[in-house]
């Protein structure tokens, strides 16, 4: 299975330019599953809820059609982040859009910083979607710092965790080595690069998108600033092997009765 | 508060030599809390249950008296690993021994590899002990790979996690950067160095003992092979600050209802 991660600089408020950039990158290389950054259709650093409302996407809307068409044309599934408008509410969401026309949506559980004034806390929970026999879990950006996010997805048998991000710090990249190792899963983390200013803060995004394998090895990693769509071949079924050695198993050895929730 | 970690090469089966080495190191430098490796009184690589029984320690026995005396003389508390014999059963345990004569015991929850043929799975759960106003949590070696171990201790308000280890691999050292960061706690990890052979396997221990601070910074770290008792000054109360920024809190933002246990 060919997994690609796209790192680029979405332009705040310019959806048509962002979708064009996404299309251009994804048509360049063959992939089965592509992961794009958080809020990649809209940009990140909204000054107000109204600004996010104006550019938000609805399931069935034209951004969904655009991504679906891209999935059909390329033959690959696409995980992409966007501001979701649903029944008058805004969520920081990601969708797994397949060439078959399915859109599986995850809504960010742990909102970061001023996102709390823009979006509702996600209500979807951590979900794993099966596509062509591969079990794909979704989480978004700041979810990474809560070990329960990746853990929940792995317990629900995710083989690959797709992690659209707009990270400003650089801790997550190293943390994913541990997250992959402790859960025995692949993690495809697509971060953005570039700078976004608004009246509250200038945000410089940390890039360094990466794919870690089921043993925590970095099998694809970018620099902080580059724009790139790279692809790496993985065997998702390796994530079903949870044995550490002949007597230890990452999940069989868990002692849930002794853990503090 | 001065926290020390001892890295040395316990000799399998030679308790008197091991205790002598421990005493020699700990009398050299002033400390408030010292962390020693897993099974540091006995060595690690037992060939049989009988071999472990023969050298096991009982609460109230002479090893306990030796460590207690050392705590009294040095004025510091000592966390040390030992094979514990209790009601005919063997546990891979660690005790927090204080100059006041208390011995708080933790029994390893997740046994590694052939330990399963030697020890009973720990039944103490993850415990936090308060000593002179500081909240100290204990975990042992392989517990590290289960994020729930450090997480449980942090939820129970541990400020410092003491982690006696006999690690053969080198993943834990990096993982603790993430564990400290995601939980906002100090972790004092004392690993052993050296080689131990038995009829099943030759084990080479990975050393690189370290202390990470509440933000994941390495504030003390050793090489793979050295024998050393180093001390670093910390402010345990910093671990009570769980704010990431003005709107995010590592624990306040947890959404337990959405996590899979």
């Amino acid at each position: 299975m060919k997994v690609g991660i796209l790192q680029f600089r979405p332009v705040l408020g310019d959806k048509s330019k962002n979708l064009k950039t996404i299309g251009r990158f994804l048509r360049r290389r063959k992939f089965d599953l592509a992961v794009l950054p958080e809020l990649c259709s809209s940009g990140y650093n909204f000054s107000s809820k109204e600004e996010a409302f104006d550019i938000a996407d609805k399931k069935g809307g034209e951004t969904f059609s655009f991504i679906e068409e891209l999935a059909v044309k390329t033959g690959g599934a696409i995980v992409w982040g966007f501001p979701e408008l649903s029944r008058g509410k805004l969520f920081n969401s990601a969708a797994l859009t397949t060439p078959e026309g399915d859109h599986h949506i995850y809504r960010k559980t742990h909102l970061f910083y001023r996102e709390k004034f823009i979006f509702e806390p996600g209500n979807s929970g951590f979900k794993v979607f099966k596509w062509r026999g591969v079990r794909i879990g979704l989480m978004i950006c700041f979810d990474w710092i809560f070990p329960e996010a990746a853990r929940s997805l792995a317990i629900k048998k995710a083989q690959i965790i797709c992690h659209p991000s707009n990270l400003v710090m650089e801790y997550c990249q190293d943390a994913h080595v541990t997250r992959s190792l402790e859960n025995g899963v692949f993690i495809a983390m697509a971060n953005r690069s570039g700078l976004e200013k608004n009246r509250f803060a200038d945000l410089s995004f940390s890039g360094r998108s990466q794919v870690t394998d089921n043993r925590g090895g970095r099998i694809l990693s970018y620099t902080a600033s580059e724009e790139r769509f790279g692809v790496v071949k993985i065997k998702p079924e390796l994530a079903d092997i949870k044995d550490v050695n002949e007597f230890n198993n990452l999940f069989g050895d868990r002692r849930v009765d002794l853990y503090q929730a």
Side-chain angles (χ1 to χ4, degrees), chain A:
Chain A
M1 179 182 210
K2 287 179 180 164
V3 176
I5 48 174
L6 172 62
Q7 175 172 306
F8 76 114
R9 299 185 192 95
V11 178
L12 183 63
D14 194 343
K15 193 191 290 189
S16 104
K17 183 173 174 147
N18 295 333
L19 296 184
K20 211 172 287 176
T21 306
I22 290 167
R24 187 163 43 85
F25 273 110
L26 264 60
R27 276 189 294 264
R28 273 190 208 163
R29 296 198 57 176
K30 185 128 190 67
F31 66 89
D32 298 301
L33 174 65
V35 185
L36 280 46
E38 177 185 16
L39 297 174
C40 65
S41 62
S42 60
Y44 177 85
N45 203 6
F46 300 116
S47 295
S48 68
K49 206 163 181 161
E50 290 64 37
E51 197 183 341
F53 261 111
D54 286 346
I55 200 169
D57 296 305
K58 275 187 190 171
K59 201 170 177 173
E62 55 185 26
T63 310
F64 275 73
S65 304
F66 176 87
I67 301 285
E68 186 179 324
E69 216 166 286
L70 196 56
V72 172
K73 275 184 195 154
T74 58
I78 300 168
V79 173
W80 55 291
F82 60 99
E84 183 195 3
L85 184 59
S86 173
R87 299 180 190 188
K89 285 182 175 173
L90 276 178
F91 297 94
N92 183 338
S93 297
L96 166 66
T97 294
T98 72
E100 294 80 14
D102 293 316
H103 302 273
H104 303 290
I105 291 179
Y106 163 71
R107 293 171 173 165
K108 189 174 184 177
T109 303
H110 308 97
L111 297 173
F112 183 70
Y113 200 55
R114 300 196 67 86
E115 290 172 31
K116 292 193 176 186
F117 302 110
I118 310 276
F119 301 106
E120 305 293 318
N123 56 6
S124 63
F126 295 97
K127 286 184 176 178
V128 176
F129 307 105
K130 203 168 181 174
W131 177 66
R132 297 188 183 169
V134 179
R135 299 186 302 276
I136 299 167
L138 268 58
M139 62 187 216
I140 299 176
C141 204
F142 190 54
D143 285 332
W144 78 267
I145 209 170
F146 302 87
E148 295 88 354
R151 193 61 152 183
S152 294
L153 291 169
I155 291 171
K156 292 177 178 179
K157 299 197 185 297
Q159 294 166 315
I160 310 171
I161 293 176
C162 299
H163 186 210
S165 296
N166 277 190
L167 296 161
V168 288
M169 285 179 291
E170 300 199 340
Y171 300 112
C172 169
Q173 287 88 341
D174 288 342
H176 276 346
V177 170
T178 297
R179 299 272 181 264
S180 273
L181 192 69
E182 71 197 13
N183 292 304
V185 295
F186 294 87
I187 304 179
M189 191 277 279
N191 194 16
R192 61 163 292 172
S193 52
L195 179 79
E196 268 188 18
K197 303 180 178 201
N198 75 8
R199 61 194 168 100
F200 297 109
D202 294 355
L203 298 181
S204 175
F205 299 95
S206 66
R208 294 183 56 219
S209 300
Q210 68 179 20
V211 180
T212 42
D213 69 18
N214 60 312
R215 293 288 182 238
R218 285 187 172 95
I219 51 176
L220 182 62
S221 59
Y222 299 175
T223 66
S225 62
E226 68 186 318
E227 299 192 279
R228 179 177 168 195
F229 179 58
V231 171
V232 65
K233 226 173 162 173
I234 68 163
K235 294 184 180 175
E237 63 273 21
L238 290 178
D240 296 335
I241 305 169
K242 303 299 187 189
D243 287 342
V244 177
N245 56 52
E246 55 189 312
F247 306 121
N248 286 112
N249 184 285
L250 287 175
F251 287 80
D253 285 342
R254 292 179 74 231
R255 299 187 61 194
V256 180
D257 55 316
L258 297 180
Y259 302 154
Q260 183 74 35

